[in-house]
Amino acid sequence: EAGVTQFPSHSVIEKGQTVTLRCDPISGHDNLYWYRRVMGKEIKFLLHFVKESKQDESGMPNNRFLAERTGGTYSTLKVQPAELEDSGVYFCASSQGVHYGYTFGSGTRLTVV
Amino acid sequence: EDQVTQSPEALRLQEGESSSLNCSYTVSGLRGLFWYRQDPGKGPEFLFTLYSAGEEKEKERLKATLTKKESFLHITAPKPEDSATYLCAVQVNNNNDMRFGAGTRLTVKP
């Protein structure tokens, strides 16, 4: 079974630019989550999709972040415009349901300079 | 506010030296407590889910236990390949997300 795939694995952009992160979940997993870890802090929740619908986006830091999951398959997370404090590792995870552990991707390390 | 605290922050063991990692939590209603292992440059890897006080789960050299206030991850006779960061996370009622602790970085020396 293929795991959760994220790309790019690394991205370095300048402040004010736009970056789009992509996540391909495990096939058949309706639940898709975005998390991020900023330097020195714990992993924090951003949002949760069930199929193509946003179930919970309470963790999104501000309106510079936009997540989509068209067709209920892969998801994208766009940051526009990027700020220095957006630097960190962005993880995507998918799950069959609440009683199953999440399968995480390897993350995208975003550096805003 | 829901909180998850892991201790110690870092732990260095000799191969074969058993120990325990702690995860204490203060949440409004626990739906489940998760343990993950994370290697450098990788995402967290699921280990266990615990749902109720008194529950225990085992996998190879690892055993996770749960009380009403904390969880322990016991490592018996660890090997160098057990070196990783171990993360604890809680899922609370009426919430779909997990709240993570900061992790314990375990190093096992041969």
Side-chain angles (χ1 to χ4, degrees), chain A residues 14-43:
Chain A
E14 292 185 351
K15 176 182 172 181
Q17 287 187 322
T18 297
V19 63
T20 301
L21 314 181
R22 173 167 168 149
C23 169
D24 285 71
I26 291 174
S27 178
H29 281 193
D30 288 341
N31 294 277
L32 186 149
Y33 305 83
W34 284 98
Y35 284 79
R36 78 171 176 179
R37 173 177 241 162
V38 295
M39 182 71 75
K41 300 285 184 67
E42 63 271 21
I43 297 172

PDB file of all heavy atoms in Angstrom, chain A residues 14-43:
ATOM      1  N   GLU A  14      10.780  33.504  -1.160  1.00  0.00           N
ATOM      2  CA  GLU A  14      10.960  34.822  -0.555  1.00  0.00           C
ATOM      3  C   GLU A  14       9.652  35.301   0.054  1.00  0.00           C
ATOM      4  O   GLU A  14       8.560  34.947  -0.421  1.00  0.00           O
ATOM      5  CB  GLU A  14      11.459  35.809  -1.599  1.00  0.00           C
ATOM      6  CG  GLU A  14      12.869  35.515  -2.079  1.00  0.00           C
ATOM      7  CD  GLU A  14      13.387  36.577  -3.038  1.00  0.00           C
ATOM      8  OE1 GLU A  14      12.587  37.442  -3.445  1.00  0.00           O
ATOM      9  OE2 GLU A  14      14.580  36.526  -3.373  1.00  0.00           O
ATOM     10  N   LYS A  15       9.783  36.093   1.071  1.00  0.00           N
ATOM     11  CA  LYS A  15       8.615  36.720   1.682  1.00  0.00           C
ATOM     12  C   LYS A  15       7.788  37.411   0.605  1.00  0.00           C
ATOM     13  O   LYS A  15       8.328  38.100  -0.274  1.00  0.00           O
ATOM     14  CB  LYS A  15       9.095  37.733   2.718  1.00  0.00           C
ATOM     15  CG  LYS A  15       7.996  38.530   3.372  1.00  0.00           C
ATOM     16  CD  LYS A  15       8.576  39.536   4.359  1.00  0.00           C
ATOM     17  CE  LYS A  15       7.482  40.456   4.859  1.00  0.00           C
ATOM     18  NZ  LYS A  15       7.989  41.469   5.810  1.00  0.00           N
ATOM     19  N   GLY A  16       6.481  37.199   0.662  1.00  0.00           N
ATOM     20  CA  GLY A  16       5.588  37.815  -0.302  1.00  0.00           C
ATOM     21  C   GLY A  16       5.239  36.920  -1.484  1.00  0.00           C
ATOM     22  O   GLY A  16       4.273  37.188  -2.209  1.00  0.00           O
ATOM     23  N   GLN A  17       6.010  35.856  -1.669  1.00  0.00           N
ATOM     24  CA  GLN A  17       5.723  34.943  -2.761  1.00  0.00           C
ATOM     25  C   GLN A  17       4.623  33.960  -2.362  1.00  0.00           C
ATOM     26  O   GLN A  17       4.194  33.909  -1.197  1.00  0.00           O
ATOM     27  CB  GLN A  17       6.993  34.178  -3.166  1.00  0.00           C
ATOM     28  CG  GLN A  17       8.002  35.026  -3.910  1.00  0.00           C
ATOM     29  CD  GLN A  17       9.156  34.188  -4.432  1.00  0.00           C
ATOM     30  OE1 GLN A  17       9.631  33.259  -3.776  1.00  0.00           O
ATOM     31  NE2 GLN A  17       9.640  34.529  -5.629  1.00  0.00           N
ATOM     32  N   THR A  18       4.202  33.185  -3.341  1.00  0.00           N
ATOM     33  CA  THR A  18       3.154  32.186  -3.134  1.00  0.00           C
ATOM     34  C   THR A  18       3.758  30.794  -3.233  1.00  0.00           C
ATOM     35  O   THR A  18       4.641  30.554  -4.072  1.00  0.00           O
ATOM     36  CB  THR A  18       2.056  32.337  -4.202  1.00  0.00           C
ATOM     37  OG1 THR A  18       1.455  33.624  -4.053  1.00  0.00           O
ATOM     38  CG2 THR A  18       0.997  31.251  -4.059  1.00  0.00           C
ATOM     39  N   VAL A  19       3.296  29.900  -2.375  1.00  0.00           N
ATOM     40  CA  VAL A  19       3.752  28.516  -2.436  1.00  0.00           C
ATOM     41  C   VAL A  19       2.535  27.601  -2.309  1.00  0.00           C
ATOM     42  O   VAL A  19       1.587  27.909  -1.575  1.00  0.00           O
ATOM     43  CB  VAL A  19       4.794  28.207  -1.333  1.00  0.00           C
ATOM     44  CG1 VAL A  19       4.197  28.353   0.059  1.00  0.00           C
ATOM     45  CG2 VAL A  19       5.385  26.822  -1.516  1.00  0.00           C
ATOM     46  N   THR A  20       2.562  26.521  -3.063  1.00  0.00           N
ATOM     47  CA  THR A  20       1.492  25.532  -2.994  1.00  0.00           C
ATOM     48  C   THR A  20       2.082  24.177  -2.645  1.00  0.00           C
ATOM     49  O   THR A  20       2.969  23.683  -3.340  1.00  0.00           O
ATOM     50  CB  THR A  20       0.722  25.443  -4.313  1.00  0.00           C
ATOM     51  OG1 THR A  20       0.153  26.721  -4.620  1.00  0.00           O
ATOM     52  CG2 THR A  20      -0.399  24.415  -4.213  1.00  0.00           C
ATOM     53  N   LEU A  21       1.578  23.612  -1.566  1.00  0.00           N
ATOM     54  CA  LEU A  21       2.019  22.296  -1.122  1.00  0.00           C
ATOM     55  C   LEU A  21       0.955  21.277  -1.540  1.00  0.00           C
ATOM     56  O   LEU A  21      -0.243  21.568  -1.505  1.00  0.00           O
ATOM     57  CB  LEU A  21       2.186  22.270   0.396  1.00  0.00           C
ATOM     58  CG  LEU A  21       2.937  23.455   1.029  1.00  0.00           C
ATOM     59  CD1 LEU A  21       3.028  23.265   2.528  1.00  0.00           C
ATOM     60  CD2 LEU A  21       4.296  23.630   0.410  1.00  0.00           C
ATOM     61  N   ARG A  22       1.416  20.088  -1.873  1.00  0.00           N
ATOM     62  CA  ARG A  22       0.462  19.070  -2.308  1.00  0.00           C
ATOM     63  C   ARG A  22       0.579  17.825  -1.441  1.00  0.00           C
ATOM     64  O   ARG A  22       1.673  17.456  -1.002  1.00  0.00           O
ATOM     65  CB  ARG A  22       0.695  18.705  -3.768  1.00  0.00           C
ATOM     66  CG  ARG A  22      -0.164  17.526  -4.230  1.00  0.00           C
ATOM     67  CD  ARG A  22      -0.176  17.342  -5.711  1.00  0.00           C
ATOM     68  NE  ARG A  22      -0.771  16.044  -6.055  1.00  0.00           N
ATOM     69  CZ  ARG A  22      -1.444  15.816  -7.179  1.00  0.00           C
ATOM     70  NH1 ARG A  22      -1.593  16.781  -8.064  1.00  0.00           N
ATOM     71  NH2 ARG A  22      -1.948  14.624  -7.417  1.00  0.00           N
ATOM     72  N   CYS A  23      -0.556  17.186  -1.241  1.00  0.00           N
ATOM     73  CA  CYS A  23      -0.611  15.949  -0.463  1.00  0.00           C
ATOM     74  C   CYS A  23      -1.472  14.941  -1.192  1.00  0.00           C
ATOM     75  O   CYS A  23      -2.629  15.219  -1.532  1.00  0.00           O
ATOM     76  CB  CYS A  23      -1.200  16.205   0.921  1.00  0.00           C
ATOM     77  SG  CYS A  23      -1.608  14.700   1.840  1.00  0.00           S
ATOM     78  N   ASP A  24      -0.919  13.751  -1.406  1.00  0.00           N
ATOM     79  CA  ASP A  24      -1.695  12.633  -1.946  1.00  0.00           C
ATOM     80  C   ASP A  24      -1.910  11.625  -0.819  1.00  0.00           C
ATOM     81  O   ASP A  24      -0.953  10.981  -0.382  1.00  0.00           O
ATOM     82  CB  ASP A  24      -0.970  11.986  -3.114  1.00  0.00           C
ATOM     83  CG  ASP A  24      -1.050  12.830  -4.372  1.00  0.00           C
ATOM     84  OD1 ASP A  24      -0.391  13.888  -4.410  1.00  0.00           O
ATOM     85  OD2 ASP A  24      -1.783  12.430  -5.288  1.00  0.00           O
ATOM     86  N   PRO A  25      -3.149  11.478  -0.364  1.00  0.00           N
ATOM     87  CA  PRO A  25      -3.385  10.566   0.763  1.00  0.00           C
ATOM     88  C   PRO A  25      -3.391   9.114   0.302  1.00  0.00           C
ATOM     89  O   PRO A  25      -3.298   8.825  -0.902  1.00  0.00           O
ATOM     90  CB  PRO A  25      -4.783  10.977   1.221  1.00  0.00           C
ATOM     91  CG  PRO A  25      -5.461  11.419  -0.038  1.00  0.00           C
ATOM     92  CD  PRO A  25      -4.384  12.087  -0.845  1.00  0.00           C
ATOM     93  N   ILE A  26      -3.518   8.218   1.232  1.00  0.00           N
ATOM     94  CA  ILE A  26      -3.675   6.807   0.889  1.00  0.00           C
ATOM     95  C   ILE A  26      -5.035   6.631   0.219  1.00  0.00           C
ATOM     96  O   ILE A  26      -6.046   7.180   0.682  1.00  0.00           O
ATOM     97  CB  ILE A  26      -3.574   5.934   2.155  1.00  0.00           C
ATOM     98  CG1 ILE A  26      -2.132   5.969   2.687  1.00  0.00           C
ATOM     99  CG2 ILE A  26      -4.011   4.503   1.886  1.00  0.00           C
ATOM    100  CD1 ILE A  26      -1.936   5.262   3.999  1.00  0.00           C
ATOM    101  N   SER A  27      -5.035   5.881  -0.863  1.00  0.00           N
ATOM    102  CA  SER A  27      -6.266   5.677  -1.617  1.00  0.00           C
ATOM    103  C   SER A  27      -7.349   5.079  -0.726  1.00  0.00           C
ATOM    104  O   SER A  27      -7.114   4.106   0.001  1.00  0.00           O
ATOM    105  CB  SER A  27      -5.979   4.736  -2.798  1.00  0.00           C
ATOM    106  OG  SER A  27      -7.168   4.483  -3.514  1.00  0.00           O
ATOM    107  N   GLY A  28      -8.532   5.698  -0.778  1.00  0.00           N
ATOM    108  CA  GLY A  28      -9.636   5.182   0.022  1.00  0.00           C
ATOM    109  C   GLY A  28      -9.797   5.851   1.379  1.00  0.00           C
ATOM    110  O   GLY A  28     -10.803   5.640   2.059  1.00  0.00           O
ATOM    111  N   HIS A  29      -8.800   6.638   1.773  1.00  0.00           N
ATOM    112  CA  HIS A  29      -8.907   7.356   3.051  1.00  0.00           C
ATOM    113  C   HIS A  29      -9.705   8.641   2.841  1.00  0.00           C
ATOM    114  O   HIS A  29      -9.262   9.564   2.166  1.00  0.00           O
ATOM    115  CB  HIS A  29      -7.516   7.704   3.587  1.00  0.00           C
ATOM    116  CG  HIS A  29      -6.826   6.553   4.237  1.00  0.00           C
ATOM    117  ND1 HIS A  29      -5.684   6.719   5.013  1.00  0.00           N
ATOM    118  CD2 HIS A  29      -7.102   5.239   4.257  1.00  0.00           C
ATOM    119  CE1 HIS A  29      -5.307   5.547   5.472  1.00  0.00           C
ATOM    120  NE2 HIS A  29      -6.141   4.617   5.015  1.00  0.00           N
ATOM    121  N   ASP A  30     -10.875   8.690   3.463  1.00  0.00           N
ATOM    122  CA  ASP A  30     -11.719   9.866   3.311  1.00  0.00           C
ATOM    123  C   ASP A  30     -11.212  11.055   4.126  1.00  0.00           C
ATOM    124  O   ASP A  30     -11.435  12.200   3.793  1.00  0.00           O
ATOM    125  CB  ASP A  30     -13.154   9.548   3.756  1.00  0.00           C
ATOM    126  CG  ASP A  30     -13.866   8.639   2.767  1.00  0.00           C
ATOM    127  OD1 ASP A  30     -13.428   8.537   1.606  1.00  0.00           O
ATOM    128  OD2 ASP A  30     -14.882   8.018   3.166  1.00  0.00           O
ATOM    129  N   ASN A  31     -10.546  10.741   5.239  1.00  0.00           N
ATOM    130  CA  ASN A  31     -10.087  11.799   6.144  1.00  0.00           C
ATOM    131  C   ASN A  31      -8.682  12.250   5.771  1.00  0.00           C
ATOM    132  O   ASN A  31      -7.774  11.420   5.640  1.00  0.00           O
ATOM    133  CB  ASN A  31     -10.075  11.298   7.583  1.00  0.00           C
ATOM    134  CG  ASN A  31     -11.467  10.990   8.088  1.00  0.00           C
ATOM    135  OD1 ASN A  31     -12.194  11.867   8.529  1.00  0.00           O
ATOM    136  ND2 ASN A  31     -11.858   9.724   7.997  1.00  0.00           N
ATOM    137  N   LEU A  32      -8.513  13.541   5.617  1.00  0.00           N
ATOM    138  CA  LEU A  32      -7.210  14.111   5.297  1.00  0.00           C
ATOM    139  C   LEU A  32      -6.985  15.301   6.213  1.00  0.00           C
ATOM    140  O   LEU A  32      -7.873  16.132   6.417  1.00  0.00           O
ATOM    141  CB  LEU A  32      -7.164  14.532   3.827  1.00  0.00           C
ATOM    142  CG  LEU A  32      -5.817  15.029   3.287  1.00  0.00           C
ATOM    143  CD1 LEU A  32      -5.678  14.681   1.810  1.00  0.00           C
ATOM    144  CD2 LEU A  32      -5.589  16.500   3.524  1.00  0.00           C
ATOM    145  N   TYR A  33      -5.796  15.358   6.778  1.00  0.00           N
ATOM    146  CA  TYR A  33      -5.460  16.392   7.759  1.00  0.00           C
ATOM    147  C   TYR A  33      -4.185  17.115   7.326  1.00  0.00           C
ATOM    148  O   TYR A  33      -3.282  16.515   6.751  1.00  0.00           O
ATOM    149  CB  TYR A  33      -5.201  15.762   9.134  1.00  0.00           C
ATOM    150  CG  TYR A  33      -6.311  14.901   9.659  1.00  0.00           C
ATOM    151  CD1 TYR A  33      -6.431  13.578   9.269  1.00  0.00           C
ATOM    152  CD2 TYR A  33      -7.231  15.405  10.578  1.00  0.00           C
ATOM    153  CE1 TYR A  33      -7.444  12.770   9.760  1.00  0.00           C
ATOM    154  CE2 TYR A  33      -8.247  14.602  11.083  1.00  0.00           C
ATOM    155  CZ  TYR A  33      -8.347  13.288  10.666  1.00  0.00           C
ATOM    156  OH  TYR A  33      -9.351  12.500  11.160  1.00  0.00           O
ATOM    157  N   TRP A  34      -4.134  18.372   7.662  1.00  0.00           N
ATOM    158  CA  TRP A  34      -2.905  19.152   7.543  1.00  0.00           C
ATOM    159  C   TRP A  34      -2.469  19.586   8.940  1.00  0.00           C
ATOM    160  O   TRP A  34      -3.280  20.077   9.733  1.00  0.00           O
ATOM    161  CB  TRP A  34      -3.098  20.390   6.669  1.00  0.00           C
ATOM    162  CG  TRP A  34      -3.149  20.126   5.200  1.00  0.00           C
ATOM    163  CD1 TRP A  34      -4.258  19.999   4.425  1.00  0.00           C
ATOM    164  CD2 TRP A  34      -2.035  19.979   4.322  1.00  0.00           C
ATOM    165  NE1 TRP A  34      -3.908  19.787   3.116  1.00  0.00           N
ATOM    166  CE2 TRP A  34      -2.543  19.770   3.015  1.00  0.00           C
ATOM    167  CE3 TRP A  34      -0.645  20.020   4.487  1.00  0.00           C
ATOM    168  CZ2 TRP A  34      -1.728  19.587   1.904  1.00  0.00           C
ATOM    169  CZ3 TRP A  34       0.164  19.837   3.385  1.00  0.00           C
ATOM    170  CH2 TRP A  34      -0.380  19.629   2.113  1.00  0.00           C
ATOM    171  N   TYR A  35      -1.190  19.397   9.199  1.00  0.00           N
ATOM    172  CA  TYR A  35      -0.573  19.832  10.447  1.00  0.00           C
ATOM    173  C   TYR A  35       0.704  20.578  10.090  1.00  0.00           C
ATOM    174  O   TYR A  35       1.227  20.432   8.983  1.00  0.00           O
ATOM    175  CB  TYR A  35      -0.187  18.631  11.327  1.00  0.00           C
ATOM    176  CG  TYR A  35      -1.333  17.965  12.049  1.00  0.00           C
ATOM    177  CD1 TYR A  35      -2.184  17.083  11.399  1.00  0.00           C
ATOM    178  CD2 TYR A  35      -1.557  18.211  13.399  1.00  0.00           C
ATOM    179  CE1 TYR A  35      -3.230  16.471  12.074  1.00  0.00           C
ATOM    180  CE2 TYR A  35      -2.603  17.596  14.090  1.00  0.00           C
ATOM    181  CZ  TYR A  35      -3.428  16.729  13.405  1.00  0.00           C
ATOM    182  OH  TYR A  35      -4.462  16.132  14.084  1.00  0.00           O
ATOM    183  N   ARG A  36       1.215  21.339  11.026  1.00  0.00           N
ATOM    184  CA  ARG A  36       2.521  21.942  10.806  1.00  0.00           C
ATOM    185  C   ARG A  36       3.288  22.038  12.125  1.00  0.00           C
ATOM    186  O   ARG A  36       2.697  22.080  13.207  1.00  0.00           O
ATOM    187  CB  ARG A  36       2.440  23.308  10.153  1.00  0.00           C
ATOM    188  CG  ARG A  36       2.049  24.451  11.079  1.00  0.00           C
ATOM    189  CD  ARG A  36       2.214  25.783  10.396  1.00  0.00           C
ATOM    190  NE  ARG A  36       1.747  26.862  11.256  1.00  0.00           N
ATOM    191  CZ  ARG A  36       1.798  28.146  10.921  1.00  0.00           C
ATOM    192  NH1 ARG A  36       2.297  28.501   9.739  1.00  0.00           N
ATOM    193  NH2 ARG A  36       1.351  29.069  11.751  1.00  0.00           N
ATOM    194  N   ARG A  37       4.610  22.033  11.969  1.00  0.00           N
ATOM    195  CA  ARG A  37       5.499  22.211  13.114  1.00  0.00           C
ATOM    196  C   ARG A  37       6.407  23.385  12.786  1.00  0.00           C
ATOM    197  O   ARG A  37       7.172  23.320  11.810  1.00  0.00           O
ATOM    198  CB  ARG A  37       6.326  20.958  13.366  1.00  0.00           C
ATOM    199  CG  ARG A  37       7.384  21.140  14.448  1.00  0.00           C
ATOM    200  CD  ARG A  37       8.137  19.869  14.729  1.00  0.00           C
ATOM    201  NE  ARG A  37       7.954  19.445  16.099  1.00  0.00           N
ATOM    202  CZ  ARG A  37       8.194  18.223  16.552  1.00  0.00           C
ATOM    203  NH1 ARG A  37       8.606  17.279  15.733  1.00  0.00           N
ATOM    204  NH2 ARG A  37       8.020  17.923  17.814  1.00  0.00           N
ATOM    205  N   VAL A  38       6.295  24.424  13.579  1.00  0.00           N
ATOM    206  CA  VAL A  38       7.233  25.526  13.428  1.00  0.00           C
ATOM    207  C   VAL A  38       8.384  25.292  14.394  1.00  0.00           C
ATOM    208  O   VAL A  38       8.266  24.521  15.354  1.00  0.00           O
ATOM    209  CB  VAL A  38       6.560  26.889  13.672  1.00  0.00           C
ATOM    210  CG1 VAL A  38       5.512  27.135  12.595  1.00  0.00           C
ATOM    211  CG2 VAL A  38       5.955  26.966  15.051  1.00  0.00           C
ATOM    212  N   MET A  39       9.495  25.969  14.157  1.00  0.00           N
ATOM    213  CA  MET A  39      10.729  25.705  14.873  1.00  0.00           C
ATOM    214  C   MET A  39      10.538  25.683  16.380  1.00  0.00           C
ATOM    215  O   MET A  39      10.030  26.645  16.963  1.00  0.00           O
ATOM    216  CB  MET A  39      11.762  26.766  14.498  1.00  0.00           C
ATOM    217  CG  MET A  39      13.110  26.566  15.134  1.00  0.00           C
ATOM    218  SD  MET A  39      13.988  25.159  14.438  1.00  0.00           S
ATOM    219  CE  MET A  39      14.487  25.825  12.880  1.00  0.00           C
ATOM    220  N   GLY A  40      10.935  24.579  16.997  1.00  0.00           N
ATOM    221  CA  GLY A  40      10.926  24.510  18.453  1.00  0.00           C
ATOM    222  C   GLY A  40       9.567  24.293  19.082  1.00  0.00           C
ATOM    223  O   GLY A  40       9.462  24.243  20.304  1.00  0.00           O
ATOM    224  N   LYS A  41       8.545  24.162  18.265  1.00  0.00           N
ATOM    225  CA  LYS A  41       7.198  23.992  18.829  1.00  0.00           C
ATOM    226  C   LYS A  41       6.650  22.606  18.483  1.00  0.00           C
ATOM    227  O   LYS A  41       7.207  21.876  17.685  1.00  0.00           O
ATOM    228  CB  LYS A  41       6.253  25.064  18.259  1.00  0.00           C
ATOM    229  CG  LYS A  41       6.669  26.484  18.553  1.00  0.00           C
ATOM    230  CD  LYS A  41       6.395  26.836  19.984  1.00  0.00           C
ATOM    231  CE  LYS A  41       6.700  28.275  20.313  1.00  0.00           C
ATOM    232  NZ  LYS A  41       5.787  29.212  19.630  1.00  0.00           N
ATOM    233  N   GLU A  42       5.533  22.273  19.124  1.00  0.00           N
ATOM    234  CA  GLU A  42       4.934  20.970  18.838  1.00  0.00           C
ATOM    235  C   GLU A  42       4.143  21.018  17.538  1.00  0.00           C
ATOM    236  O   GLU A  42       3.818  22.093  17.020  1.00  0.00           O
ATOM    237  CB  GLU A  42       4.036  20.516  19.999  1.00  0.00           C
ATOM    238  CG  GLU A  42       2.842  21.405  20.266  1.00  0.00           C
ATOM    239  CD  GLU A  42       3.133  22.527  21.223  1.00  0.00           C
ATOM    240  OE1 GLU A  42       4.322  22.882  21.396  1.00  0.00           O
ATOM    241  OE2 GLU A  42       2.172  23.047  21.800  1.00  0.00           O
ATOM    242  N   ILE A  43       3.825  19.862  17.025  1.00  0.00           N
ATOM    243  CA  ILE A  43       3.017  19.739  15.819  1.00  0.00           C
ATOM    244  C   ILE A  43       1.608  20.241  16.121  1.00  0.00           C
ATOM    245  O   ILE A  43       0.997  19.836  17.115  1.00  0.00           O
ATOM    246  CB  ILE A  43       2.965  18.270  15.357  1.00  0.00           C
ATOM    247  CG1 ILE A  43       4.373  17.779  14.978  1.00  0.00           C
ATOM    248  CG2 ILE A  43       2.015  18.110  14.178  1.00  0.00           C
ATOM    249  CD1 ILE A  43       4.448  16.292  14.690  1.00  0.00           C
TER     250      ILE A  43
END
